[in-house]
Structure formats: structure tokens, C-alpha cells
Amino acid sequence: MNYYSLLHNSPKTTFKNAVVNGIAPDRGLYFPENIAPLSKHFIDHISEYTNHEIAFEVIKQFVGDEIPEEKLKEIIAKTVSFDFPTVKVDDNIASLELFHGPTMAFKDVGAKFMAQCLEYFNKDNDDEVTVLVATSGDTGGAVANGFLGTKGVNVVILYPSGKVSDIQEKQLTTLGQNIKALEVNGVFDDCQEMVKTAFLDKEITKTLTSANSINVARWLPQMFYFFFAYKALHKTQKELVFSVPSGNFGNICAGIMAQKLGLPIKHFVASTNINDTVPNYLVNGIYNPKPSKATISNAMDVGNPSNFIRIQELFNNDIEALRRAFSSYSFTDDETRSAMKKIHSSSGYVSDPHGAVGYLGLKKYGLKENEFGVFLETAHPVKFLDVVEDTLPVSVEIPEQIRGIMNRKKIATKASSYQDLKDFLMN
Ligand SMILES: *Cc1c(COP(=O)(O)O)cnc(C)c1O
């Protein structure tokens, strides 16, 4: 499979190169040249397939012959190694829980898949690849875990000092081995800026790549979730509406890809916190990115969503077509807390702030009689323990995955300027 740059100023390239390089030489995001729908027979009989078989059917055309079938199946088995349950919270609404992986965030799937692909592609190469990633919290932990022990790959994670939760900080600073953390004196945007500068710096001769959702190997496996949800819910005989709590819009964009593959999805709702660049765009047709604002759903504090350009491509840059299939609404922290309370009092279900934003999106959309809503629950409530326990009359039990790291020792190098990152990378 070939990929082209959405800025159209670079040659087409292979899946391998798209994964190894992250973005195109013209700084554009890569996009697959073809998207061939899956057979109707497969979709109609989805209940007869295991999750591994479904994932293989969904991803194989995007990898092509660049990874042998047997190897790809192995990679999928390591990636899809936990459950993705749907839990009903209302007559016509279910939560799709994506947080049962090793770091309890949905990014575990993309991070693991990408790590495995990179290890495979780099196996005959003596040079190591350095994965550079900026995190506002969840990405760092998932990438650290997904890449731990990956041969030929070093990982450098930049995170804003004091702006990630204790658990998140432990997840990205305590693993050791090939995982290094830089604690940046600044906000997430500063970390992101430092990473971008490093990619453009000609004096850094190391091979650098990114593990943000701009990388096709992190973005595309997220299609799996929508197929798994369809497998669980198609028996409702209702049309599915997905609400995806969105930050960089990679996850929802993968959902739209799943729809392109023929998965029957009625409508998408991109639910955001007050970082409302996309909701505003749908209203007034002007895309006006802004600096991010801090919220209680901090994994979505993104002012300039990197994957939105892929969504526009999927709708041929036709805003009217986009508006028919896709809505986007923004919610405040107060609304988010109220939603957490409402969900809990009516069903006993404990949602994290991101899931609650997803739930609000379904409510605002207004499900019709023949529709069933699914909101993606992207993080376990324990990842946002303070907010959850301040908002709801519950105490969240710390799961095994998390207990294991709480007593480990944090190891991080302080950085306050781009030069600090550069020095770190150069020696
Ligand atoms: C990353 C993240 C999101 C946003 O996903 P995007 O693909 O960037 O839109 C939502 N919730 C949680 C918990 C996340 O970690």
C-alpha cells in the first residue's frame, strides 16, 4: 500500500517508510492511496470472527505485503491482548470501554502496534531509531509501555512538569531500559514545540520518528474499536451513532475510516472540552486553531488537532458532506462533572471525564428512536482519580496494572529549553 502526503509536495511512499518517518518530507501527514471496502459477507457475519481475525481483515490492506501475513497476525495478537467490553448505561446508550490495556488508556493499542511494526522494519538495520514524543499525559504512558524492550528503538518522552497526574508521571518515568523521560519546565505546547524543532534540526543526525497519532501505525489500528463495538451491538437492530471524546481527532478519524470500509455507522459526534476549534469550524466554516486551554479532561487539551486534515480528506474537503455525517460539540468542565454525576446516579456507572464528554455529545446530538449511541470510554477512572473522587461519592479501586508502578522510582531529566533537548539527544 502506498501513502501520499496531504500537503502534496512529497513523493508517494510505502507503509514502511510512512511508519519509520512518521511524516512526509513536506511535513504533511500520510494518507493511504486506496481504501477498499471489506466484503459485505464479512460485515454481515462479523459475530463469527474472533477479534484477532477482525483486526487482521481490517488492517491488512493498509500494510500490504510489507509485513508477512504470519508476522502481522503475531503483531495483532500482541496488540489486541485485552477486552473491549460495551456496558449499557441507558436504554439506548452504551460505553465502549477501551481502557483494559496495560496502561488503562485506549492509546495502548496504537502504541503497541506501532512499536511492533517499527521493530520489524528496523530488524536488519544497525542504526537505532529514536522515537520522540510529547505528551499531555496518556500518550507518554502508552508509548513507554508499548515500546518497552523494543529492539533497535529508543524512546524519549517530553512531558510538562506538574501538569500530568501522579499515576501518569509514574507510567512514563519509571520503566527504565530504552525509555527516557524529559520533564519540561512549561506546558504541553512547549513540549510539542521542542519536538517539532528537533525534527527540523539538521544537526541532529539520529533517525527520529514520532509516536503521536500522525503516525499511520498508531492511527489506523484504532479502526478496530468500531468493528468490535459493531460486533457487540449490531443485534440491537438499531443504527449506531458513535461519540468520540476528541483531542487530536485521530480516534474519530479512524472511526470514519471504518465506515469507509463498509461498517454501518449512522453518524459521528466529535465531543470536545472547551478546546473548540472543530466545533467552531462546523458552525462558521472557519478553521481557527488556538493555543490549548487546560481542562479536567486534559488528554483532549488540544487547540490545533493534527488529524483534522485527514477527516477533511475523507470528505473531499466538502464541509457540507462533513456536516451531514459528523457533528462536533464542546462542553465545559462544569457540564462534564454534571454528566459524570448524572450517569452515576442513574446507572451506577463510573465514567472518567473524557467518557463523560463523549456521553454529553450523544445527549446533545439527540438520538432518534431507531438509533443507538455509543460513547468511547478512553481512560479508566483511576487515571483521573482526583477529579473522579471529587465529583462522585465513590472511591476507585486501584487496578493491578497501576499498583505495580506506584512505588517505583521516578527517573526524569529536567529540561527548560530546546537546547536541553538537543544536548540530551546528541550525547
Ligand atoms: C488521547 C486521548 C483522547 C483523544 O484522542 P484523539 O485521538 O487525540 O482525539 C481522549 N481521551 C483520552 C483519555 C486520551 O488519552
Side-chain angles (χ1 to χ4, degrees):
M1 167 68 78
N2 278 326
Y3 288 78
Y4 60 91
S5 161
L6 287 176
L7 292 182
H8 305 287
N9 268 320
S10 298
K12 285 174 192 162
T13 196
T14 57
F15 175 70
K16 174 180 171 174
N17 283 334
V19 175
V20 173
N21 297 319
I23 60 173
D26 63 4
R27 319 300 301 158
L29 269 64
Y30 280 120
F31 197 84
E33 199 171 28
N34 290 301
I35 303 170
L38 303 178
S39 79
K40 187 165 175 321
H41 183 273
F42 168 71
I43 294 186
D44 289 346
H45 292 80
I46 197 157
S47 321
E48 295 162 26
Y49 293 84
T50 65
N51 281 357
H52 288 175
E53 289 164 344
I54 292 170
F56 181 72
E57 282 304 309
V58 169
I59 202 80
K60 70 177 181 198
Q61 67 172 300
F62 300 101
V63 175
D65 55 11
E66 296 172 52
I67 299 179
E69 273 199 11
E70 283 318 304
K71 181 67 197 176
L72 183 58
K73 286 181 179 164
E74 240 176 68
I75 291 176
I76 286 170
K78 285 189 185 154
T79 303
V80 181
S81 57
F82 48 92
D83 291 335
F84 303 84
T86 51
V87 181
K88 263 183 109 170
V89 302
D90 219 329
D91 280 346
N92 58 351
I93 294 182
S95 159
L96 171 63
E97 295 188 347
L98 304 179
F99 57 66
H100 295 275
T103 75
M104 319 215 82
F106 81 95
K107 294 186 174 75
D108 282 331
V109 164
K112 191 74 186 179
F113 187 82
M114 182 185 160
Q116 297 280 311
C117 289
L118 208 51
E119 181 173 74
Y120 178 76
F121 289 138
N122 211 36
K123 66 185 183 327
D124 303 323
N125 195 343
D126 290 337
D127 292 336
E128 298 202 317
V129 176
T130 300
V131 170
L132 201 55
V133 66
T135 185
S136 59
D138 268 4
T139 304
V143 167
N145 191 283
F147 283 81
L148 182 66
T150 302
K151 284 193 243 22
V153 183
N154 286 308
V155 176
V156 179
I157 300 169
L158 286 80
Y159 72 98
S161 181
K163 306 249 170 7
V164 303
S165 76
D166 288 351
I167 289 174
Q168 288 174 332
E169 185 170 45
K170 290 280 183 188
Q171 286 183 323
L172 52 95
T173 57
T174 63
L175 295 182
Q177 297 184 45
N178 58 331
I179 313 294
K180 307 275 184 301
L182 277 192
E183 179 176 2
V184 175
N185 181 11
V187 294
F188 170 67
D189 293 329
D190 300 318
C191 300
Q192 184 99 295
E193 206 44 50
M194 285 163 70
V195 168
K196 281 191 189 149
T197 310
F199 280 115
L200 295 173
D201 191 335
K202 299 256 177 327
E203 288 172 26
I204 296 177
T205 50
K206 281 198 172 118
T207 311
L208 296 180
T209 191
S210 150
N212 291 97
S213 55
I214 54 173
N215 195 300
V216 296
R218 242 206 70 196
W219 166 52
L220 292 169
Q222 302 177 120
M223 292 185 290
F224 304 161
Y225 313 139
F226 299 86
F227 283 86
F228 297 162
Y230 180 74
K231 177 180 166 184
L233 297 170
H234 71 284
K235 292 176 220 80
T236 60
Q237 303 287 341
K238 294 194 172 178
E239 296 189 280
L240 295 183
V241 174
F242 281 95
S243 174
V244 184
S246 296
N248 267 318
F249 284 64
N251 204 4
I252 193 163
C253 184
I256 300 168
M257 290 286 286
Q259 187 186 41
K260 280 257 164 188
L261 291 181
L263 194 69
I265 297 174
K266 173 76 180 299
H267 197 80
F268 287 97
V269 181
S271 303
T272 72
N273 55 33
I274 54 167
N275 292 284
D276 56 2
T277 302
V278 173
N280 285 343
Y281 171 72
L282 287 185
V283 172
N284 60 26
I286 300 166
Y287 189 81
N288 183 21
K290 290 175 279 193
S292 61
K293 299 188 199 94
T295 72
I296 57 169
S297 49
N298 66 24
M300 312 197 290
D301 294 352
V302 181
N304 188 11
S306 51
N307 280 282
F308 191 62
I309 187 168
R310 284 185 171 137
I311 294 180
Q312 289 177 300
E313 182 77 2
L314 282 162
F315 288 94
N316 298 317
N317 296 297
D318 175 351
I319 189 171
E320 288 313 322
L322 178 64
R323 281 175 175 145
R324 282 191 293 275
F326 177 98
S327 308
S328 189
Y329 308 119
S330 145
F331 301 97
T332 64
D333 283 354
D334 283 346
E335 290 171 306
T336 305
R337 285 196 193 87
S338 303
M340 290 167 68
K341 287 184 186 136
K342 178 164 175 261
I343 299 168
H344 184 254
S345 64
S346 66
S347 70
Y349 189 74
V350 178
S351 59
D352 97 298
H354 302 78
V357 168
Y359 173 87
L360 282 167
L362 289 174
K363 288 291 168 183
K364 180 129 179 184
Y365 165 78
L367 292 162
K368 327 275 177 313
E369 191 58 43
N370 63 333
E371 293 174 345
F372 191 91
V374 182
F375 68 92
L376 277 57
E377 185 37 293
T378 46
H380 190 288
V382 77
K383 299 288 296 280
F384 299 90
L385 197 61
D386 295 353
V387 182
V388 172
E389 292 190 342
D390 281 350
T391 308
L392 302 178
V394 296
S395 73
V396 181
E397 197 191 323
I398 313 272
E400 193 52 49
Q401 286 104 308
I402 305 292
R403 246 179 287 148
I405 56 160
M406 290 314 283
N407 298 323
R408 291 219 200 145
K409 189 168 154 19
K410 160 180 164 186
I411 299 174
T413 304
K414 300 242 188 219
S416 48
S417 66
Y418 173 66
Q419 192 60 41
D420 293 342
L421 170 63
K422 187 167 177 173
D423 292 345
F424 190 82
L425 291 172
M426 304 274 270
N427 63 55

